[in-house]
Structure formats: C-alpha cells, structure tokens
Amino acid sequence: MRKKVWMEWPLPPALISRLSALAEVVTDGDLDKLPGSDVISGIGRYYDGQLMDRVGPNLKQIAKPGIGLDNIDLDAASARGILVCNTPDAPSESTAEHAVALLMAVAKRVMVGDTQIRGGEGIERSDLQGTELLGRSLGIVGYGRIGRRVAEICAQGIRMNVMVYDPILPEDFVMPKGVARADDPDTIFSQNRFVTLHTPLLPSTRHLANERRLRLMRPGSYLINASRGGVVDEAALIKVLREGHLAGAGLDVFDPEPPLADNPLLKMRNVVLTPHIASNTDAGIDLMQSGTAENIERVLLGERPTWIANPEVWPGRMAQAGG
Ligand code: NAD
C-alpha cells in the first residue's frame, strides 16, 4: 500500500515532489485526513497520545521542523514506538542573531527612537539614551547551540564580558576567551546587567526566570528571551518592569502565544517584542524545510533519520512494518 505523509506547514514544491515519489503527501493540514498516515509533520499544534491514536497504527514518525519539542508528548510517542525527529541545527544561527538583535534593540532604544521619529508623543530626549555594550556583562542561561553562538558574537564581536550557566557543561570544559562559567543560575541573574535565556522548555526550566531571580538582577538590568515563553514567569516580569526594577526586556516568545490583547507588555515602551520569529529567516526556513524533508524521506525509505529525539524506539515499529 502507498505510504502517506500528512503535513500542516508548507514545504516548497521541489521538496513535496521529492516526497511524492515515495508517498501520498497531504499538505492541507485537514485533520480528517490524518488517519492512516505513516508520517505527520507540523509546528503549532500539540501532538499528544490522543492525536497519535487518531492517526492510527501506521504512524511511524512525527517530523518536527526546528529544535523545540515542547509541543510533542515524547513519552506518548515512545510508548507507541513512534519516532520523533527534529532539525536541531537548523534554527541555531538565526535564533542566536535574533537574540543579539533584541539585546541591541533594547540597549540602543531602537523601538522608542523609531516611535518618536514617526511622531510618537511623550518621548523625551532623555528617554532615548541608550547603553553602550562594550565591556558590559551578559549572562547566558543554557550554553547549547544557540547560547554558544550568542556568547561568541557578544564576547568576540562586541567584547562584552560573558558568563554562562549550563548544568551539563563538563567540569573540564575549556571556556573560550571572554566567557566565564557560573555554577548556578542565581549567579547569572545577580552578576550580569543583561541576561539572555537559551534553554528548552522543560518542567525544570518552567519559570526559571521567576520573581526571585528577576529581583536578584541589579536595578537597570535587561532580560532577553528567545527560548520559550514559559521559561519566564511573565506576570513577575511585568511586575518588575512596571516597578522600574528592570530597565527593559527583549522578547520573541510569550506565554501564552500569541500574547493576549490585554497583555501589559504590549503597551510598554521599554520592551521590544517580536512574534516568535527568531528562526524565521531565509536560511533558517531553508534548513528546517530541507532537514524535515530529509528526515521524512529516510523513514519512507526505511533508513535511520539523522536526528531522533527518542532513539530508543529505533528500529521498533519500522522493522515490524518493513520500513
Ligand atoms: P540545545 O539543546 O542545543 O541547548 C540547550 C541547552 O540548555 C543545553 O545545553 C541544556 O543542557 C541547557 N539546559 C537545560 N536545562 C537547563 C537549565 N535548567 N539551566 C541552564 N541550562 C539548561 O538547544 P538550542 O538549539 O540552543 O535551543 C534552545 C531553545 O531555544 C530550544 O529548546 C527552543 O525552545 C528555543 N528556540 C527558539 C526559537 C525561536 O524561534 N524563538 C528557535 C529555535 C530554538
């Protein structure tokens, strides 16, 4: 029987036709067409066990573009022998650059200046005074793909003093020039004028930037978040920004997403907001699309995909199904 791929995000025609040589490819995201699929692929929806069961016993792979797996119930997939594949390297550069763009934008008052020059009222010259970054301190929580690139740009390019915390950093890891390590997240928050978050959203990182830690930051500090909205306690962030304890924030991600219309962050001039677009660049999208197509293609051919988030299920159902 011809295999079936169900998708709810766009792939360019060339990639669709490559996959169509191996399977029927449903690209309209119509949930009624889920049953019987061998592979499903998407971004926004939460993929839980119920949805997997709705697809049925043919389902061998959930192919996620990008790195974040917080919208997939990994345990439910593993229990059913379903491979979960992502493209972890694809969004790294774009997201790191975006975090630095947010940092620059808040430090240089870019959005307030833009609003003022377009005739925005009530903005004084003093409101437009920025912060020079050379020699200033930047704390990074999460020193993985994105955190490392942010550290490199900021330490080597801008010559900021960078400090990082990551619980899996080996004791003997040789830190690059200009980058120091911290033994705990509290040190990052208390010692750095700028803090940027680059962890996955896990039970252990939910509200990692909570009120206590935000208050550890020195008055006049800035928070940057291009990881996941839930890593920050948004209510606490709003509180410390309103009090003037933090000078500003740069946020690409929210909790919930998109932010509700009455979210006070939308009205704050010292906050720069972008709608979860950090990886949404020409190169970032290209890499996510080609990587996802390759992950799907390999499963359709019965080959092991490069990136498997739950490798314990390989070959499992693939072997039973004969690829
Ligand atoms: P990665 O897996 O390469 O690195 C994440 C690092 O966080 C790991 O080294 C891990 O050890 C560390 N970590 C885990 N728990 C921690 C904790 N409690 N404290 C400190 N560090 C901890 O992932 P990455 O490619 O660097 O991406 C990081 C996250 O960024 C992703 O999981 C995703 O949620 C988010 N992201 C967002 C966008 C966007 O468009 N805004 C794009 C890509 C990724």
Short mmCIF file of all heavy atoms in Angstrom, two decimals, residues 179-226:
data_model
loop_
_atom_site.label_atom_id
_atom_site.label_comp_id
_atom_site.label_asym_id
_atom_site.label_seq_id
_atom_site.Cartn_x
_atom_site.Cartn_y
_atom_site.Cartn_z
N VAL A 179 34.63 34.35 28.00
CA VAL A 179 33.44 33.66 28.52
C VAL A 179 33.80 32.95 29.82
O VAL A 179 34.71 32.11 29.84
CB VAL A 179 32.89 32.63 27.49
CG1 VAL A 179 31.60 31.99 28.00
CG2 VAL A 179 32.65 33.29 26.13
N ALA A 180 33.08 33.29 30.89
CA ALA A 180 33.32 32.64 32.19
C ALA A 180 32.14 31.72 32.48
O ALA A 180 31.07 31.86 31.89
CB ALA A 180 33.45 33.69 33.28
N ARG A 181 32.32 30.79 33.39
CA ARG A 181 31.21 29.91 33.74
C ARG A 181 30.70 30.24 35.13
O ARG A 181 31.46 30.68 36.00
CB ARG A 181 31.62 28.44 33.63
CG ARG A 181 32.60 27.99 34.69
CD ARG A 181 33.13 26.62 34.39
NE ARG A 181 32.10 25.61 34.48
CZ ARG A 181 32.21 24.40 33.95
NH1 ARG A 181 33.28 24.05 33.27
NH2 ARG A 181 31.27 23.52 34.10
N ALA A 182 29.41 30.02 35.33
CA ALA A 182 28.81 30.19 36.65
C ALA A 182 28.37 28.82 37.13
O ALA A 182 28.07 27.94 36.32
CB ALA A 182 27.61 31.13 36.56
N ASP A 183 28.31 28.63 38.45
CA ASP A 183 27.93 27.32 38.98
C ASP A 183 26.43 27.17 39.18
O ASP A 183 25.95 26.08 39.48
CB ASP A 183 28.63 27.08 40.32
CG ASP A 183 30.13 26.91 40.11
OD1 ASP A 183 30.52 26.47 39.01
OD2 ASP A 183 30.90 27.25 41.04
N ASP A 184 25.71 28.27 39.08
CA ASP A 184 24.26 28.18 39.29
C ASP A 184 23.57 29.36 38.59
O ASP A 184 24.22 30.38 38.31
CB ASP A 184 23.94 28.20 40.79
CG ASP A 184 24.60 29.38 41.47
OD1 ASP A 184 24.15 30.51 41.21
OD2 ASP A 184 25.58 29.18 42.21
N PRO A 185 22.28 29.21 38.32
CA PRO A 185 21.58 30.29 37.61
C PRO A 185 21.48 31.58 38.40
O PRO A 185 21.50 32.67 37.83
CB PRO A 185 20.18 29.70 37.33
CG PRO A 185 20.08 28.46 38.13
CD PRO A 185 21.45 28.01 38.49
N ASP A 186 21.42 31.48 39.74
CA ASP A 186 21.31 32.71 40.55
C ASP A 186 22.49 33.64 40.28
O ASP A 186 22.34 34.87 40.24
CB ASP A 186 21.27 32.37 42.05
CG ASP A 186 19.91 31.81 42.46
OD1 ASP A 186 19.07 31.59 41.57
OD2 ASP A 186 19.70 31.60 43.67
N THR A 187 23.69 33.05 40.11
CA THR A 187 24.87 33.87 39.84
C THR A 187 24.70 34.63 38.53
O THR A 187 25.08 35.81 38.42
CB THR A 187 26.14 32.97 39.80
OG1 THR A 187 26.18 32.23 41.00
CG2 THR A 187 27.41 33.79 39.64
N ILE A 188 24.12 33.96 37.54
CA ILE A 188 23.89 34.64 36.25
C ILE A 188 22.99 35.86 36.46
O ILE A 188 23.27 36.95 35.97
CB ILE A 188 23.23 33.66 35.25
CG1 ILE A 188 24.18 32.53 34.89
CG2 ILE A 188 22.73 34.40 34.01
CD1 ILE A 188 25.33 32.89 33.99
N PHE A 189 21.90 35.67 37.22
CA PHE A 189 20.95 36.77 37.38
C PHE A 189 21.53 37.89 38.25
O PHE A 189 21.27 39.06 38.00
CB PHE A 189 19.63 36.26 37.98
CG PHE A 189 18.77 35.55 36.97
CD1 PHE A 189 18.95 34.21 36.69
CD2 PHE A 189 17.80 36.24 36.24
CE1 PHE A 189 18.17 33.56 35.73
CE2 PHE A 189 17.03 35.60 35.28
CZ PHE A 189 17.22 34.26 35.02
N SER A 190 22.32 37.55 39.25
CA SER A 190 22.80 38.59 40.17
C SER A 190 24.03 39.34 39.65
O SER A 190 24.28 40.46 40.06
CB SER A 190 23.09 37.99 41.55
OG SER A 190 24.10 37.03 41.44
N GLN A 191 24.76 38.71 38.72
CA GLN A 191 26.06 39.30 38.33
C GLN A 191 26.06 40.00 36.98
O GLN A 191 27.09 40.53 36.59
CB GLN A 191 27.13 38.20 38.28
CG GLN A 191 27.30 37.41 39.55
CD GLN A 191 28.03 38.19 40.62
OE1 GLN A 191 29.08 38.75 40.35
NE2 GLN A 191 27.46 38.27 41.81
N ASN A 192 24.98 39.94 36.24
CA ASN A 192 25.04 40.44 34.87
C ASN A 192 23.98 41.49 34.57
O ASN A 192 22.83 41.35 34.98
CB ASN A 192 24.92 39.27 33.89
CG ASN A 192 26.12 38.36 33.98
OD1 ASN A 192 27.18 38.67 33.46
ND2 ASN A 192 25.97 37.24 34.71
N ARG A 193 24.38 42.51 33.85
CA ARG A 193 23.47 43.60 33.50
C ARG A 193 22.44 43.14 32.46
O ARG A 193 21.31 43.59 32.43
CB ARG A 193 24.32 44.75 32.94
CG ARG A 193 23.55 45.94 32.44
CD ARG A 193 23.40 46.97 33.54
NE ARG A 193 22.60 48.10 33.10
CZ ARG A 193 23.08 49.22 32.59
NH1 ARG A 193 24.38 49.37 32.45
NH2 ARG A 193 22.28 50.20 32.23
N PHE A 194 22.88 42.23 31.58
CA PHE A 194 21.99 41.64 30.58
C PHE A 194 21.94 40.14 30.83
O PHE A 194 22.99 39.52 31.06
CB PHE A 194 22.51 41.89 29.15
CG PHE A 194 22.49 43.34 28.76
CD1 PHE A 194 23.53 44.19 29.12
CD2 PHE A 194 21.42 43.87 28.04
CE1 PHE A 194 23.52 45.52 28.78
CE2 PHE A 194 21.40 45.21 27.69
CZ PHE A 194 22.44 46.05 28.06
N VAL A 195 20.74 39.55 30.75
CA VAL A 195 20.61 38.10 30.87
C VAL A 195 19.79 37.59 29.68
O VAL A 195 18.74 38.16 29.36
CB VAL A 195 19.91 37.69 32.20
CG1 VAL A 195 19.58 36.20 32.20
CG2 VAL A 195 20.80 38.03 33.39
N THR A 196 20.29 36.57 29.00
CA THR A 196 19.55 36.01 27.88
C THR A 196 19.34 34.51 28.11
O THR A 196 20.24 33.83 28.62
CB THR A 196 20.25 36.33 26.54
OG1 THR A 196 19.47 35.80 25.47
CG2 THR A 196 21.66 35.78 26.44
N LEU A 197 18.16 34.03 27.76
CA LEU A 197 17.75 32.66 28.10
C LEU A 197 17.78 31.77 26.86
O LEU A 197 17.16 32.13 25.84
CB LEU A 197 16.35 32.67 28.69
CG LEU A 197 16.16 33.64 29.88
CD1 LEU A 197 14.69 33.74 30.25
CD2 LEU A 197 16.99 33.17 31.08
N HIS A 198 18.45 30.63 26.96
CA HIS A 198 18.55 29.72 25.80
C HIS A 198 18.42 28.26 26.21
O HIS A 198 19.17 27.40 25.74
CB HIS A 198 19.85 29.99 25.04
CG HIS A 198 19.88 31.38 24.49
ND1 HIS A 198 19.06 31.78 23.46
CD2 HIS A 198 20.56 32.49 24.89
CE1 HIS A 198 19.25 33.07 23.22
NE2 HIS A 198 20.15 33.52 24.07
N THR A 199 17.44 27.99 27.07
CA THR A 199 17.18 26.60 27.48
C THR A 199 15.94 26.09 26.75
O THR A 199 15.13 26.88 26.27
CB THR A 199 16.87 26.53 28.99
OG1 THR A 199 15.61 27.18 29.22
CG2 THR A 199 17.94 27.20 29.82
N PRO A 200 15.78 24.78 26.68
CA PRO A 200 14.48 24.26 26.22
C PRO A 200 13.43 24.52 27.30
O PRO A 200 13.80 24.81 28.46
CB PRO A 200 14.72 22.75 26.09
CG PRO A 200 16.08 22.47 26.60
CD PRO A 200 16.70 23.72 27.10
N LEU A 201 12.15 24.42 26.94
CA LEU A 201 11.10 24.47 27.96
C LEU A 201 10.89 23.05 28.47
O LEU A 201 10.45 22.17 27.74
CB LEU A 201 9.80 25.03 27.38
CG LEU A 201 8.63 25.07 28.37
CD1 LEU A 201 8.94 25.94 29.58
CD2 LEU A 201 7.35 25.55 27.69
N LEU A 202 11.26 22.84 29.74
CA LEU A 202 11.13 21.54 30.40
C LEU A 202 10.46 21.81 31.75
O LEU A 202 10.44 22.97 32.20
CB LEU A 202 12.52 20.95 30.68
CG LEU A 202 13.46 20.77 29.49
CD1 LEU A 202 14.88 20.47 29.96
CD2 LEU A 202 12.93 19.64 28.62
N PRO A 203 9.97 20.76 32.44
CA PRO A 203 9.45 21.03 33.79
C PRO A 203 10.50 21.76 34.65
O PRO A 203 10.17 22.66 35.42
CB PRO A 203 9.15 19.63 34.32
CG PRO A 203 8.88 18.81 33.09
CD PRO A 203 9.76 19.37 32.01
N SER A 204 11.77 21.43 34.46
CA SER A 204 12.83 22.04 35.29
C SER A 204 13.17 23.47 34.87
O SER A 204 13.84 24.19 35.62
CB SER A 204 14.09 21.19 35.22
OG SER A 204 14.49 21.07 33.86
N THR A 205 12.76 23.89 33.68
CA THR A 205 13.09 25.27 33.27
C THR A 205 11.85 26.17 33.24
O THR A 205 11.98 27.36 32.96
CB THR A 205 13.75 25.30 31.87
OG1 THR A 205 12.86 24.72 30.92
CG2 THR A 205 15.07 24.55 31.85
N ARG A 206 10.66 25.60 33.48
CA ARG A 206 9.46 26.45 33.51
C ARG A 206 9.62 27.50 34.61
O ARG A 206 9.98 27.19 35.73
CB ARG A 206 8.20 25.61 33.74
CG ARG A 206 6.94 26.45 33.82
CD ARG A 206 5.67 25.63 33.76
NE ARG A 206 5.41 25.11 32.42
CZ ARG A 206 4.92 25.83 31.40
NH1 ARG A 206 4.63 27.09 31.57
NH2 ARG A 206 4.73 25.28 30.23
N HIS A 207 9.43 28.74 34.28
CA HIS A 207 9.57 29.87 35.20
C HIS A 207 10.96 29.92 35.85
O HIS A 207 11.10 30.31 37.00
CB HIS A 207 8.46 29.86 36.26
CG HIS A 207 7.12 30.20 35.68
ND1 HIS A 207 6.01 30.42 36.43
CD2 HIS A 207 6.73 30.37 34.39
CE1 HIS A 207 4.97 30.70 35.63
NE2 HIS A 207 5.40 30.66 34.39
N LEU A 208 11.95 29.50 35.07
CA LEU A 208 13.35 29.62 35.55
C LEU A 208 13.63 31.09 35.90
O LEU A 208 14.26 31.40 36.91
CB LEU A 208 14.27 29.13 34.43
CG LEU A 208 15.75 29.06 34.71
CD1 LEU A 208 16.34 27.87 33.93
CD2 LEU A 208 16.50 30.31 34.33
N ALA A 209 13.15 32.01 35.04
CA ALA A 209 13.26 33.44 35.36
C ALA A 209 12.03 33.82 36.16
O ALA A 209 11.05 34.34 35.63
CB ALA A 209 13.38 34.26 34.08
N ASN A 210 12.06 33.50 37.46
CA ASN A 210 10.91 33.79 38.32
C ASN A 210 11.15 35.13 39.05
O ASN A 210 12.18 35.78 38.87
CB ASN A 210 10.68 32.64 39.32
CG ASN A 210 11.95 32.33 40.11
OD1 ASN A 210 12.82 33.20 40.27
ND2 ASN A 210 12.07 31.11 40.60
N GLU A 211 10.18 35.52 39.87
CA GLU A 211 10.28 36.84 40.51
C GLU A 211 11.53 36.95 41.38
O GLU A 211 12.23 37.96 41.36
CB GLU A 211 9.02 37.12 41.34
CG GLU A 211 9.06 38.51 41.95
CD GLU A 211 7.74 38.96 42.54
OE1 GLU A 211 6.70 38.32 42.28
OE2 GLU A 211 7.76 39.96 43.28
N ARG A 212 11.84 35.88 42.11
CA ARG A 212 13.02 35.95 42.99
C ARG A 212 14.28 36.22 42.17
O ARG A 212 15.09 37.08 42.51
CB ARG A 212 13.15 34.62 43.77
CG ARG A 212 14.30 34.61 44.77
CD ARG A 212 14.47 33.25 45.42
NE ARG A 212 14.94 32.23 44.51
CZ ARG A 212 16.19 32.10 44.09
NH1 ARG A 212 17.12 32.93 44.52
NH2 ARG A 212 16.53 31.13 43.27
N ARG A 213 14.42 35.49 41.07
CA ARG A 213 15.65 35.67 40.26
C ARG A 213 15.65 37.03 39.55
O ARG A 213 16.70 37.66 39.43
CB ARG A 213 15.78 34.54 39.23
CG ARG A 213 16.13 33.22 39.90
CD ARG A 213 16.81 32.26 38.94
NE ARG A 213 17.25 31.08 39.64
CZ ARG A 213 16.75 29.86 39.45
NH1 ARG A 213 15.81 29.66 38.54
NH2 ARG A 213 17.22 28.86 40.13
N LEU A 214 14.47 37.47 39.10
CA LEU A 214 14.44 38.78 38.43
C LEU A 214 14.84 39.87 39.42
O LEU A 214 15.49 40.85 39.06
CB LEU A 214 13.05 39.04 37.84
CG LEU A 214 12.65 38.11 36.68
CD1 LEU A 214 11.19 38.31 36.28
CD2 LEU A 214 13.55 38.31 35.46
N ARG A 215 14.48 39.67 40.68
CA ARG A 215 14.85 40.66 41.70
C ARG A 215 16.33 40.57 42.08
O ARG A 215 16.89 41.50 42.66
CB ARG A 215 13.97 40.53 42.94
CG ARG A 215 12.54 40.96 42.68
CD ARG A 215 11.78 41.22 43.95
NE ARG A 215 10.39 41.51 43.62
CZ ARG A 215 9.96 42.67 43.12
NH1 ARG A 215 10.81 43.66 42.91
NH2 ARG A 215 8.68 42.84 42.84
N LEU A 216 16.96 39.43 41.78
CA LEU A 216 18.41 39.33 42.01
C LEU A 216 19.17 40.22 41.03
O LEU A 216 20.31 40.60 41.26
CB LEU A 216 18.89 37.89 41.78
CG LEU A 216 18.55 36.83 42.82
CD1 LEU A 216 19.11 35.48 42.37
CD2 LEU A 216 19.13 37.20 44.17
N MET A 217 18.52 40.52 39.88
CA MET A 217 19.19 41.36 38.88
C MET A 217 19.33 42.77 39.44
O MET A 217 18.44 43.26 40.13
CB MET A 217 18.40 41.37 37.56
CG MET A 217 18.35 39.99 36.92
SD MET A 217 17.33 39.92 35.41
CE MET A 217 18.45 40.62 34.22
N ARG A 218 20.45 43.40 39.09
CA ARG A 218 20.66 44.76 39.59
C ARG A 218 19.67 45.70 38.96
O ARG A 218 19.28 45.50 37.79
CB ARG A 218 22.08 45.21 39.28
CG ARG A 218 23.11 44.67 40.26
CD ARG A 218 24.50 44.92 39.77
NE ARG A 218 24.84 44.03 38.66
CZ ARG A 218 25.94 44.12 37.92
NH1 ARG A 218 26.81 45.07 38.13
NH2 ARG A 218 26.18 43.26 36.95
N PRO A 219 19.22 46.76 39.67
CA PRO A 219 18.29 47.72 39.06
C PRO A 219 18.89 48.23 37.75
O PRO A 219 20.10 48.47 37.66
CB PRO A 219 18.20 48.84 40.10
CG PRO A 219 18.54 48.17 41.40
CD PRO A 219 19.53 47.09 41.08
N GLY A 220 18.04 48.38 36.74
CA GLY A 220 18.53 48.87 35.45
C GLY A 220 19.01 47.78 34.52
O GLY A 220 19.61 48.07 33.49
N SER A 221 18.76 46.52 34.87
CA SER A 221 19.20 45.40 34.02
C SER A 221 18.15 45.08 32.96
O SER A 221 17.03 45.60 32.97
CB SER A 221 19.43 44.15 34.88
OG SER A 221 20.43 44.39 35.83
N TYR A 222 18.54 44.19 32.04
CA TYR A 222 17.68 43.83 30.91
C TYR A 222 17.57 42.31 30.79
O TYR A 222 18.58 41.60 30.95
CB TYR A 222 18.27 44.35 29.60
CG TYR A 222 18.36 45.85 29.51
CD1 TYR A 222 19.47 46.52 30.05
CD2 TYR A 222 17.37 46.59 28.88
CE1 TYR A 222 19.57 47.90 29.96
CE2 TYR A 222 17.46 47.97 28.79
CZ TYR A 222 18.56 48.62 29.32
OH TYR A 222 18.66 49.98 29.23
N LEU A 223 16.38 41.83 30.42
CA LEU A 223 16.18 40.40 30.18
C LEU A 223 15.84 40.18 28.70
O LEU A 223 15.02 40.90 28.14
CB LEU A 223 15.02 39.86 31.04
CG LEU A 223 14.81 38.35 30.89
CD1 LEU A 223 15.85 37.57 31.70
CD2 LEU A 223 13.40 37.95 31.34
N ILE A 224 16.49 39.16 28.11
CA ILE A 224 16.21 38.79 26.72
C ILE A 224 15.70 37.35 26.72
O ILE A 224 16.30 36.48 27.37
CB ILE A 224 17.51 38.85 25.86
CG1 ILE A 224 18.25 40.19 26.04
CG2 ILE A 224 17.19 38.56 24.39
CD1 ILE A 224 17.49 41.41 25.62
N ASN A 225 14.62 37.09 25.99
CA ASN A 225 14.14 35.71 25.89
C ASN A 225 13.72 35.38 24.47
O ASN A 225 12.74 35.90 23.95
CB ASN A 225 12.96 35.46 26.85
CG ASN A 225 12.58 33.98 26.88
OD1 ASN A 225 13.37 33.11 26.47
ND2 ASN A 225 11.39 33.68 27.37
N ALA A 226 14.52 34.50 23.84
CA ALA A 226 14.14 33.95 22.53
C ALA A 226 14.11 32.43 22.63
O ALA A 226 14.37 31.74 21.65
CB ALA A 226 15.14 34.41 21.46
#
